[in-house]
Every structure is written in structure tokens, then in C-alpha cells.
């Protein structure tokens, strides 16, 4: 055998074993590692596996905000056991998306589940946002499990004193059922994906989301909720209340920019190609695909 042929066989064998290793890896379930960030003595943020989960340890039980992707309910429960002996009594879902509600079905059936009333309707038939793959129908696959037991329209308060939690709805944005969860004693809130991080928001027009109203809704939440310092975002780090004000303005500016460009006769393609984020917004992540989707969403809404 000449050296070239030997080398070729070795390379081929190496490639085959790499492929088989990758295949084996794909066959094995990827471990679901929940990362914990302690925010207050009795408030934690659980990361990975979908949206950020809030865990509040109250006097008599635990309140969980959002339950991540399918299969992440048990890892959340396991992690809570490391934090406290108290039982989970309540789940609050910020909105309908599969990476925030799917773990619900893995919690005990006794757990109370609360959402904004439009989110309950959305959860009855899970629909993907524009440009996303169809979600796993976890509630149809697990009949009688994980669906909301209670809803609210504009505001609801559960618990009292140090356990008080206020739930608010300030209007449409990411979806038409984005709940804001506030712990007054801790001066903390959870915003879900209407404030997922410093980025262009996902406007889920298939679930009532809106690029025309999201800036105003964010502003109304910022102005309407008092005495909060910090906010758990849907998918990013904890932000300040001032960051929320800035994010509201960012969304209002985006709408104004698209409106002005439309008035100047630009097509949606031209608007997306020419739009630039203002220098005053530092550390924002602007994705090209999201920019195109959001320009289209806003233009379609304005034409209605
Ligand atoms: Zn979402």
C-alpha cells in the first residue's frame, strides 16, 4: 500500500468514528442542567432550558414563574428541593410560549396555575410565532395536566405581607397575554418575554403580539408599577427599572423609525436594510432576521 492510500484509509476511519461518536451523543439524552442565581434571600432565578424561571420561597410554599421547555419541569423541581423543603404551591406563566409553559405538566396536579386570561386561551391551542417551528402540544399530550386553573384580566394579588405577589396586565406586546409579576417586599419583578433582554423583541403576531403597541405597553408597565428596582428578563440577565424605561423608548423609537421610512416611500425590504440602531442604545443585540420580521410585522399592522 502506498502512503497516500494508507493516509486516506486512516482519514476515512477517523471520520467514520467521529460520525459514530456524534451519533451516539445524539442518542443519549443531553443532561438538563438548571443553573441557579440567588437574587434575594427567598428569590432565585433558574437559568437554561428556555425562559428564565423565577422561584419565590414564601412562608408556606414556593411560587414558580415559568417552567421552561418540555422535559424541564422535573429538573426545576429537583433544583427547588436543593433550595427549600417547602412544597411548590403555585405556578404563574408569563405567556403562552412553549419555552415558558411546557414544564407545567411535570408538576403535581395539586399546584395552582395562574395566567392572564388571554394566555389561557392561547395555551388551549399552542401556536408558534411567525418563523418558528411548531411547538410540542404538551397539554394535549398530557390531558388534564398543566393548564391554568385561575386567570386574571388587569390585576390580581395573591398572598399578603412578605408573601404578597401582584400580577398585572398592561396590554399587548410580545403576545396578547403578557403578565408582569411583582414581589413588592423584594422590589423585584419578572417581565417574561415582553422584556426578554436588550434586543429587538419577538413580536408574536400569531398570539396577539404587536409592534405598534409594545413600546406603549412597556412604558405603561414601567410607569404603572411602583417601587421596583430590578426585573427578571425573559431570557437575559436581571436588569434595572431604568433599563426597562430605556427598552420602552427603544421600542417606541423603532416604531417611529419604521413609520417615517414608510412615509418616505420605502419598501419593508428597504426599511430593514437601512435601519440603524441609535448610538444612545448601548449593548443591544440586533439580529438581521428579527429586524426583517419586525419591520414586516409593524408595516402590516400599520396598513390594517
Ligand atoms: Zn416568548
Amino acid at each position: 500500500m502506498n502512503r497516500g492510500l494508507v493516509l486516506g484509509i486512516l482519514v476515512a476511519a477517523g471520520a467514520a468514528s467521529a460520525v459514530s461518536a456524534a451519533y451516539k451523543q445524539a442518542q443519549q439524552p443531553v443532561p438538563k442542567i438548571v443553573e441557579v442565581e440567588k437574587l434575594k434571600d427567598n428569590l432565585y432565578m433558574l437559568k437554561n432550558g428556555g425562559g428564565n424561571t423565577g422561584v419565590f420561597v414564601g412562608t408556606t410554599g414556593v411560587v414558580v414563574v415559568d417552567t421552561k421547555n418540555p422535559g424541564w419541569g422535573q429538573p426545576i423541581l429537583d433544583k427547588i428541593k436543593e433550595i427549600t423543603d417547602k412544597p411548590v404551591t403555585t405556578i404563574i406563566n408569563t405567556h403562552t410560549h412553549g419555552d415558558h409553559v411546557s414544564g407545567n405538566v411535570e408538576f403535581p396536579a395539586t399546584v395552582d396555575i395562574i395566567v392572564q386570561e388571554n394566555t389561557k386561551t392561547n395555551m388551549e391551542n399552542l401556536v408558534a410565532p411567525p418563523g418558528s417551528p411548531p411547538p410540542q402540544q404538551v397539554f394535549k399530550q398530557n390531558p388534564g395536566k398543566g393548564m391554568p386553573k385561575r386567570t386574571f384580566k388587569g390585576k390580581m394579588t395573591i398572598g399578603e405581607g412578605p408573601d404578597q405577589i401582584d400580577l398585572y396586565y398592561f396590554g399587548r406586546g410580545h403576545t396578547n397575554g403578557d403578565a408582569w409579576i411583582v414581589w413588592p417586599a423584594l422590589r423585584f419583578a419578572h417581565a417574561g418575554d415582553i422584556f426578554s433582554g436588550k434586543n429587538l423583541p419577538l413580536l408574536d403576531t400569531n398570539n396577539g403580539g404587536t409592534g405598534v403597541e409594545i413600546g406603549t405597553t412597556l412604558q405603561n408597565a414601567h410607569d404603572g408599577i411602583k417601587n421596583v428596582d430590578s426585573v427578571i428578563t425573559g431570557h437575559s440577565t436581571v436588569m434595572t427599572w431604568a433599563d426597562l424605561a430605556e427598552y420602552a423608548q427603544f421600542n417606541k423609537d423603532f416604531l417611529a423609525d419604521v413609520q417615517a421610512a414608510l412615509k418616505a416611500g420605502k419598501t419593508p425590504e428597504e426599511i430593514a436594510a437601512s435601519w440603524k440602531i441609535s448610538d444612545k442604545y448601548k449593548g443591544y443585540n440586533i439580529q438581521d432576521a428579527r429586524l426583517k420580521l419586525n419591520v414586516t410585522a409593524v408595516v402590516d399592522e400599520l396598513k390594517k
Side-chain angles (χ1 to χ4, degrees):
M1 258 195 270
N2 68 41
R3 288 180 63 191
L5 183 59
V6 171
L7 192 65
I9 289 167
L10 288 175
V11 167
S17 84
V19 166
S20 120
Y23 179 73
K24 274 183 194 144
Q25 206 172 27
Q27 294 295 295
Q28 279 163 5
V30 179
K32 296 186 169 68
I33 310 292
V34 174
E35 249 185 80
V36 180
E37 189 175 327
K38 186 172 184 174
L39 307 177
K40 294 277 180 181
D41 279 344
N42 59 346
L43 183 66
Y44 301 79
M45 179 165 81
L46 272 43
K47 299 189 278 192
N48 298 338
N52 288 326
T53 296
V55 172
F56 174 73
V57 183
T59 310
T60 57
V62 177
V63 178
V64 175
V65 179
D66 285 353
T67 58
K68 305 188 184 294
N69 280 310
W72 283 79
Q74 191 57 50
I76 292 171
L77 283 162
D78 293 344
K79 192 53 78 173
I80 290 172
K81 274 211 183 101
E82 293 175 19
I83 295 171
T84 177
D85 294 334
K86 293 175 184 173
V88 175
T89 56
T90 310
I91 292 171
I92 302 165
N93 295 121
T94 57
H95 65 291
T96 188
H97 287 150
D99 55 335
H100 297 258
V101 302
S102 297
N104 285 16
V105 298
E106 296 162 54
F107 283 70
T110 49
V111 172
D112 195 13
I113 303 178
I114 308 172
V115 301
Q116 205 277 340
E117 60 181 19
N118 297 331
T119 287
K120 185 184 181 193
T121 305
N122 295 337
M123 285 167 75
E124 279 158 8
N125 182 33
L126 296 177
V127 174
S132 296
Q136 194 177 323
Q137 297 294 337
V138 285
F139 304 115
K140 288 179 182 161
Q141 291 162 359
N142 298 273
K145 298 195 87 179
M147 281 296 287
K149 297 179 181 177
R150 289 198 283 164
T151 62
F152 72 100
K153 192 181 180 78
K155 192 186 173 194
M156 180 186 216
T157 293
I158 60 170
E160 51 189 39
D163 292 335
Q164 183 176 330
I165 302 176
D166 296 324
L167 290 74
Y168 297 89
Y169 177 67
F170 285 99
R172 297 162 59 212
H174 176 63
T175 69
N176 63 356
D178 305 311
W180 296 77
I181 291 87
V182 179
W183 293 274
L186 304 180
R187 302 178 66 92
F188 241 98
H190 194 318
D193 281 357
I194 194 166
F195 188 19
S196 72
K198 293 190 175 182
N199 52 36
L200 286 166
L202 191 163
L203 303 172
D204 183 0
T205 48
N206 293 342
N207 284 291
T210 160
V212 171
E213 293 173 31
I214 189 169
T216 309
T217 300
L218 286 159
Q219 188 72 55
N220 288 343
H222 174 269
D223 298 348
I225 299 169
K226 307 290 182 200
N227 304 314
V228 167
D229 303 319
S230 309
V231 54
I232 299 172
T233 55
H235 289 267
S236 183
T237 56
V238 169
M239 303 267 177
T240 67
W241 211 236
D243 289 327
L244 174 61
E246 179 191 82
Y247 190 61
Q249 190 59 49
F250 167 73
N251 279 278
K252 289 197 277 186
D253 286 357
F254 183 79
L255 171 63
D257 290 347
V258 173
Q259 277 174 318
L262 202 58
K263 213 172 172 187
K266 286 190 186 174
T267 65
E269 293 72 26
E270 289 167 341
I271 298 170
S274 61
W275 185 81
K276 290 271 177 298
I277 185 168
S278 160
D279 288 340
K280 69 179 172 180
Y281 298 113
K282 306 285 184 212
Y284 278 62
N285 176 26
I286 304 301
Q287 290 175 302
D288 203 42
R290 179 70 59 82
L291 173 59
K292 286 176 183 155
L293 280 169
N294 286 16
V295 167
T296 305
V298 170
V299 169
D300 286 351
E301 263 188 276
L302 289 171
K303 281 182 180 162
K304 271 182 193 161

